[in-house]
Amino acid sequence: MTDQQGPVAIVGAGSIGAGFAIVHATAGRSVLLYDAQPEAAEAAIGRIAETLADLEHFELLDEPPAAVLARVSAAASLEDAVAKAAFVHECVSENLDLKRQVTADIDARAPGDAVIGSASSAIPASDYAAEVPGNSRCLVAHPGNPPFLLRVVEVVPAPFTDPKAVDAATRFLGGSGLATVTVRKEPRGFVFNRLQGALLREAYCLVRDGVVSVEEIDALVRDGLGLRWSIVGPFETVDLNTRGGIERHAKLLGPAYEAMGAERGQHDPWTDELVANVSEQRRAALPLDAWADRVRWRDRELMRALLTRRSGES
Ligand SMILES: NC(=O)c1ccc[n+]([C@@H]2O[C@H](COP(=O)([O-])OP(=O)(O)OC[C@H]3O[C@@H](n4cnc5c(N)ncnc54)[C@H](O)[C@@H]3O)[C@@H](O)[C@H]2O)c1
């Protein structure tokens, strides 16, 4: 795979397609948007203009919105969109047959060295690209929504994906300011949606069982777990919540979490070996003698986040 120079082609101009267009156009790249629905790409450009105005309002643009918008065009056909593309984002609806067909169409028309990244939320490349002749350049590039604000993308190759395509995707997306996490294996829902799904499944159960209301769950996540997770992830959270770090947390609370899982029919105990692995990774990231300073850092970051929320309320 070369270091590509052509435009970014986006196939499917819905929420995610328009979001990726903003990411790349704000990074100075030309974007061609194609959608099978007539007028959909033009409508997306209208929504992009509104979002760019908002980004400017929050001082998140380095240049006038019109300069960014000028880099985004609607393509009249799939062929026009992808013919000279450096990178193709497939952002059509989440449907296996549709993704199979569209990926094959893109593969037949895009330059041989362009990576084809699918925004797929849960369908792995092994399922939609197995029969595609050029499947060595196919992988999932799954964003959070909206991609121009949640700037991390899961890159999920299939066994048939060329590692050079993974490197090229990582470099290309990185060039537009997106961090990437390369997912090993292709678990259903990848990682982002598995984590989200674990919480959502439990939330549905709790509402079903009359334990709390929908709004009460949203409040606990919005003002509690989620606020903290915007600063530190779930492993760092419990590492910093427990004197002695994550290993002690697992000793103290592992059995309680195991019992909660068992109530839902899940049996995945945190074995000594697993805890040792996780703890080793945490200690490499944060030696225990730096723990107290990091706790103070977390608290100060939470103060900053609270201040930002308050200024948004006034
Ligand atoms: N919305 C999210 O939160 C989110 C987050 C991450 C990933 N995704 C994934 O991104 C993909 C797109 O999701 P979305 O939310 O943007 O959907 P959407 O419904 O907003 O947009 C999909 C677009 O694809 C177009 N389309 C359908 N068939 C087409 C074809 N043959 N050629 C070209 N365009 C075609 C539709 O007209 C529509 O405009 C899905 O795979 C979805 O699972 C969605």
Side-chain angles (χ1 to χ4, degrees):
M1 303 281 155
T2 57
D3 272 316
Q4 309 89 333
Q5 296 299 329
V8 182
I10 297 182
V11 179
S15 311
I16 298 300
F20 269 135
I22 293 170
V23 167
H24 293 296
T26 52
R29 287 177 161 149
S30 303
V31 177
L32 284 167
L33 264 178
Y34 169 71
D35 198 286
Q37 292 292 325
E39 317 297 331
E42 290 294 351
I45 290 173
R47 297 196 306 277
I48 290 168
E50 287 171 10
T51 303
L52 290 174
D54 289 342
L55 286 167
E56 187 188 39
H57 173 79
F58 285 102
E59 299 177 12
L60 288 167
L61 278 191
D62 295 333
E63 53 188 338
V68 178
L69 197 63
R71 297 192 191 104
V72 183
S73 320
S77 67
L78 178 78
E79 180 140 33
D80 286 355
V82 306
K84 294 186 177 152
F87 190 99
V88 183
H89 283 289
E90 174 274 289
C91 301
V92 302
S93 321
E94 187 85 359
N95 174 292
L96 176 58
D97 288 339
L98 179 63
K99 288 198 184 280
R100 269 193 186 129
Q101 186 57 54
V102 170
T103 306
D105 289 348
I106 294 170
D107 182 51
R109 292 168 176 81
D113 59 355
V115 173
I116 305 172
S118 171
S120 166
S121 294
I123 307 172
S126 282
D127 286 0
Y128 69 77
E131 310 298 325
V132 171
N135 62 14
S136 62
R137 39 113 156 230
C138 293
L139 45 75
V140 166
H142 172 255
N145 186 21
F148 51 89
L149 297 177
L150 307 187
R151 300 190 75 98
V152 61
V153 169
E154 291 181 279
V155 171
V156 194
F160 49 67
T161 308
D162 187 338
K164 288 190 190 124
V166 176
D167 288 347
T170 303
R171 275 200 313 276
F172 193 81
L173 297 171
S176 289
L178 293 174
T180 54
V181 170
T182 303
V183 176
R184 295 174 282 280
K185 308 184 182 175
E186 294 177 292
R188 186 188 303 278
F190 316 124
V191 176
F192 197 101
N193 280 325
R194 287 189 82 87
L195 292 172
Q196 181 160 249
L199 188 73
L200 206 48
R201 284 197 305 279
E202 181 64 24
Y204 266 97
C205 290
L206 292 166
V207 170
R208 178 197 62 199
D209 297 343
V211 179
V212 276
S213 70
V214 168
E215 168 51 25
E216 286 162 342
I217 294 261
D218 277 353
L220 284 166
V221 175
R222 184 183 60 230
D223 300 333
L225 291 166
L227 184 63
R228 202 169 49 196
W229 282 337
S230 73
I231 311 292
V232 286
F235 281 126
E236 186 165 10
T237 290
V238 295
D239 197 32
L240 297 182
N241 275 357
T242 316
R243 273 170 207 289
I246 199 162
E247 192 162 12
R248 182 154 172 265
H249 173 269
K251 272 204 183 72
L252 293 174
L253 282 165
Y257 281 105
E258 191 178 346
M260 290 180 232
E263 283 173 17
R264 304 288 185 220
Q266 189 177 357
H267 181 64
D268 289 310
W270 303 343
T271 61
D272 290 348
E273 194 188 2
L274 178 58
V275 172
N277 175 5
V278 169
S279 174
E280 200 179 306
Q281 293 187 49
R282 277 301 308 155
R283 293 292 62 84
L286 182 77
L288 274 185
D289 58 11
W291 182 88
D293 284 347
R294 186 71 174 171
V295 168
R296 183 154 189 227
W297 168 86
R298 177 204 60 196
D299 291 353
R300 292 169 68 101
E301 289 301 310
L302 279 167
M303 290 172 202
R304 197 197 307 275
L306 266 187
L307 194 65
T308 306
R309 278 198 182 191
R310 281 200 195 142
S311 66
E313 284 161 9
S314 59

